[in-house]
Amino acid sequence: MTSELAPERRTPWLGAVAVFLMAMIPLVGYLAPLGFAPLLALTGLLVTPTLARARQPMLPVFALLPLLAWALISLHWSPAAPHLADLKKDKALGAFTAFKLVLELGFYGAAVAALGTLSRRSARRAGAVMIVAAAALALITALDGALQAKIFQALRRASHDPIRPDLAMVKVSMGAYPLALLFWPCARILDAWRVRGRTIIIAAMAVLTIAGAHFTGADAPIAALLAGGLVWLGVRVIGKPVARALIPIVALPFIFAPMVVLWSVRSGFIAWLHVLAPPSWDARLNIWAFATNETVQHPLRGWGIDASRMFGNAIPLHTHDAAIQLWLELGSIGAALAGAFFAWLAYRVVGRTGEDRRDGAMAAATLVAYLTIGGISFGVWQEWWIALGALAAIACGVAQKSSASPR
C-alpha cells in the first residue's frame, strides 16, 4: 500500500500581502520610518479575515495581554492619563497610548499570526522581495548618510516640505534600525537558497548597514548587529546551551535594571562614566539616574503609563531604555510581565534551535538585536518601534518557511 503526501495548502492572498509588506520596506524605511506603524496595521487588517477560517495560533497575542491589562489599569494613577472630555479631540485621542496599544496588539498580532501560516511557495516569494528591499534600503541609507542627507533634503524640498540638515540626518539614520533586525532573516534565506556569491552579498549588507548607521551617528544599530552576531555565532556553533542561556540573559535587565543604576550612582561608577561618555551617552546616564531615583517612589505599581512624559527636561519623552521605562511607569509588576514575555520568546528560540540550528541562530540574533536597540534608544510604547518588532517576527517566519525543505 502506498501513500502520498497531501499537497501544501496554498495561500495566495497571504502571499500577496506579504510581498506588499516587504516591497514597502525601502520606501517607508527611507522616506517615513514612522510609517511602519500604519503599514503593519494595514497588513493586520488585510489578513484578519483569514484568522477565523484557518485558526492561526495567537499565542504571542495572549502572552502580551497581561502586560496590556496592567498598562490600562495604571491609567487610574498615571499623571499622563487623558481626561474623558479631552478624548473628543482628535489630537488627544492620538496621544492616548493605552488606546493605541489595544489596536496595535490586535492588528500587529493578526499580521504576525496570519503571515506565520504562509505556504512555502508564498514565503519564498516574500523572502526574495525582502532581500531586494533590505538591500535597497541599506544602499540608499549608506549613500545618503555619506552625502550628509543631501538626497533626502532634495526630496523634501521638491515636495515643498523643506527640512533642516540635522533633522534630515536623523530621518535617514532611522533606516538603519529595520536593517539591523532584517539582516539575520535575509542572511538565513541567502544561505539556505545557496545563492551564488551569498557570502559577499551578506557581507555587503552588513557593511552598508554599519556604514549608514555610522555616517548618520546612530550607534544602536551597530551595537545591535554586533550583539546579534555574537549570539548568532554561539547558537550556530554550540546550539541549545547558548540558546538556553538567552532565557535568563533577556529577563535579567527587566528585573535588575533599577538596582544596577542605583548601585552605579552610589558607588561613583556613573560619575566616572560621565567623564568618558560622549554627549548623547552622557544625557542617557543622566536620564537613567533620574528615572531610577523616581522609580523608588512607587516601585511596585510605578507612576502609570506614559508618566515618563511628565518629568519635564529631566526625561525628554522617554527614558531611552525599555526596562527602566517599564519600571518607572508600570513598576516591578509591569517590568516582570515584559521580562516574562521576552523570556518566553527566548524559550521558543530553544525549541527552534533543536529543530534547526540555523533557524535558532537567526531567531536568537534577531531577538537580541531588538532588545539591544530597545535598551539604549526608543521609548517602549512608540508605535513604529513596536511595529518593527512585529515585522522582525514576520521576517523570521518567512525565512524559516522559505528555507525549509519541500515535503
Side-chain angles (χ1 to χ4, degrees), residues 11-305:
T11 56
W13 174 245
L14 292 177
V17 174
V19 167
F20 164 75
L21 172 63
M22 299 306 175
M24 291 297 292
I25 287 173
L27 184 64
V28 176
Y30 177 66
L31 293 178
L34 299 184
F36 278 112
L39 176 61
L40 266 295
L42 175 61
T43 301
L45 184 63
L46 291 174
V47 300
T48 294
T50 70
L51 291 174
R53 184 170 64 252
R55 297 181 181 178
Q56 283 89 342
M58 297 289 288
L59 189 57
V61 175
F62 294 129
L64 284 171
L65 280 177
L67 180 60
L68 175 59
W70 181 244
L72 292 172
I73 292 171
S74 75
L75 285 170
H76 289 290
W77 57 81
S78 173
H83 298 289
L84 292 178
D86 295 334
L87 294 181
K88 297 178 181 179
K89 305 174 183 177
D90 293 338
K91 291 184 178 180
L93 187 60
F96 191 7
T97 299
F99 173 73
K100 290 190 293 185
L101 286 176
V102 175
L103 297 179
E104 289 163 21
L105 183 58
F107 287 127
Y108 300 172
V112 173
L115 296 184
T117 64
L118 284 170
S119 67
R120 182 174 180 271
R121 183 178 180 180
S122 295
R124 286 181 68 86
R125 290 176 178 172
V129 175
M130 177 173 67
I131 291 172
V132 174
L137 179 58
L139 181 60
I140 187 61
T141 300
L143 175 62
D144 207 14
L147 295 174
Q148 300 295 298
K150 299 295 184 185
I151 300 175
F152 189 86
Q153 293 177 66
L155 292 173
R156 290 290 292 265
R157 286 195 298 270
S159 64
H160 305 288
D161 185 22
I163 186 173
R164 285 173 16 207
D166 57 332
L167 294 180
M169 285 291 283
V170 172
K171 294 292 185 181
V172 173
S173 73
M174 293 174 75
Y177 294 97
L179 288 172
L181 301 177
L182 295 175
F183 174 78
W184 303 106
C186 289
R188 172 71 179 103
I189 294 174
L190 288 167
D191 180 61
W193 291 359
R194 304 291 182 184
V195 175
R196 181 177 298 180
R198 58 188 176 278
T199 302
I200 297 176
I201 297 173
I202 293 170
M205 289 182 66
V207 170
L208 288 173
T209 300
I210 293 173
H214 173 70
F215 289 142
T216 56
D219 299 326
I222 299 175
L225 272 180
L226 294 176
L230 289 174
V231 173
W232 179 90
L233 183 63
V235 175
R236 185 72 178 84
V237 174
I238 301 175
K240 275 190 172 184
V242 175
R244 289 194 188 97
L246 274 183
I247 298 175
I249 289 175
V250 303
L252 287 177
F254 293 96
I255 300 173
F256 294 110
M259 285 74 89
V260 170
V261 174
L262 284 173
W263 173 85
S264 299
V265 171
R266 293 172 182 174
S267 66
F269 184 63
I270 288 283
W272 177 74
L273 289 177
H274 275 302
V275 178
L276 303 175
S280 61
W281 285 96
D282 186 67
R284 284 182 173 91
L285 293 173
N286 285 330
I287 293 171
W288 294 342
F290 177 85
T292 302
N293 186 62
E294 294 300 319
T295 298
V296 175
Q297 308 300 319
H298 302 289
L300 182 63
R301 63 175 177 85
W303 286 81
I305 188 170

